[in-house]
Amino acid sequence: MAPPQRFREQFDQIQRSMPDVPLAMGPDDSAEFFYEKGVVLARDGEEARLVEDTVREHFTAAPGLTAEHVRRAGPETNRTGVTRIQVGDPARGDHRGDPAVANALRSLRAAESRTGRRLVSRNHVVHIAVNACPGDEPVPVPRSEQPNPAPAGTPYDPETAVGVLVVDTGLMADHRDCPLLAHTRGDAQIQECDEAGVLQQYVGHGTFIAGLLAAVAPNTDITVRNTLNDAGAILESEFGAKLFEAVDQGGWPAVLSLSAGTSNGRTDGLLGIQAFMEELRDQETLLVAAAGNNGSATPFWPAAYADLPGWESAVLSVGALRGDGEYGACFTNHGAWVKAYAPGERLVSALTGFRTPVPYVYQHSTYDTCRYGFGYSCTCRTPRHTGVLSEPGEVPGKPDQVMFEGYAQWSGTSFAAPVAAGLVAAHMTAQGEADPRKARAQLLAANAEYAEVRGAHVPALLPPTWRPVPVDPPDEAA
């Protein structure tokens, strides 16, 4: 199947945000993930040397490549335990796969079979879960409209507040003008608008997530880190170190809310964050991670660690329900590795413009039909707008511009995850439970709500203050 056009549009946007890193789309020419061209990852030390030697020998007879292409492209040792190894001339990024990287991976298959251990990996792009194939773009909401979920009744108490860390894009400059975010702290968004004063895509992502968390669980101390500041994307080789940096700044929190990840075509996790995940496993922190928006059953990492032995209690993977809460949203990833679902379609939270209205120009046009084959009024189709980008051969109309004045409506598993994280934190407060992993287990055990996702009945975590959004037609169509 040819890569979806929206995925190609996102590839181009991420490539523009990372101009010095040539990217490829994979695996091969399909639209499943993005990765760095000409580079593979290996564990430090003997394994990295084995990878170098094996790839160099393999490439001696390969056309257009020489052994000199194979060299270290990263530090010998670091906290994440991985090294970048260049295996070819990356040249320029494009929508195709990278044969040099594919050949390097194949050259290590025999060694991996002998050791029973993965030795090499692509250097994937980890992105916020609305970035590659997003649920939609934000829609302005009047200030007179309540957030959805609405603020719960539990007051903020600094003595008992549950610590929640959000690793995402930074906070908008006017976020404290939203009453929900009066106690939120962390990193500022580095650049909110472009040279013309127009809001850049995704910059309010972390602020929106913080607003959802504060609404579902007001008795929380929320810290937001701008780890994913550049278009919500970062290389896997850098992501593990950034996660360590985020927890080192304030210590391991009770709950870590993460709305980012990538698939990699495998079922054993990401090499670049394995050291972080192993340390997480030995902490008390609960990682609540978004399942991704590719409409796929392919594992999306790190959310899919929830299905790996040793991480079952440490990670909660969260998919998105559509507006009425009865079925899965058209875009949500799904499968046995997704352990719970929460509202993730047309939620309302803080964005920006509380002080001064801020313009935004849509980047993507809506579709005539759902990209995933569903028949209800999903976010692929409504609300209608014309974006800067368009399908090949189309003549786009003038892109629509809107003004944000505080609140927005937005969709994605990016937002289902903090709703679930908020429910865990609220349970900790209500039950006096200090252990977030026990709170996760108790919350799921006590849950009586279910939804249908691709024919499976799954746990539906519905906040008491969440207002369902009517869906037309009401029945699932795919």
Side-chain angles (χ1 to χ4, degrees), residues 44 77-82 241 244-245 247-248 252 275-276 279:
D44 295 335
T77 59
N78 56 64
R79 190 172 176 186
T80 63
V82 295
F244 276 125
E245 182 181 305
V247 297
D248 285 348
W252 286 87
F276 176 84
E279 190 161 331

Side-chain angles (χ1 to χ4, degrees), residues 322 373-376 475-478:
R322 71 182 192 181
F374 285 70
Y376 76 98
D475 296 328
E476 188 180 47

Side-chain angles (χ1 to χ4, degrees), residues 172-186:
M172 304 300 276
D174 61 357
H175 73 278
R176 289 194 183 276
D177 291 332
C178 174
L180 277 173
L181 299 178
H183 307 291
T184 301
R185 59 182 179 270

Side-chain angles (χ1 to χ4, degrees), residues 63-90:
L65 293 169
T66 68
E68 284 67 37
H69 279 118
V70 184
R71 61 182 184 273
R72 298 292 174 98
E76 172 68 22
T77 59
N78 56 64
R79 190 172 176 186
T80 63
V82 295
T83 296
R84 291 170 63 247
I85 299 175
Q86 185 169 332
V87 296
D89 182 1

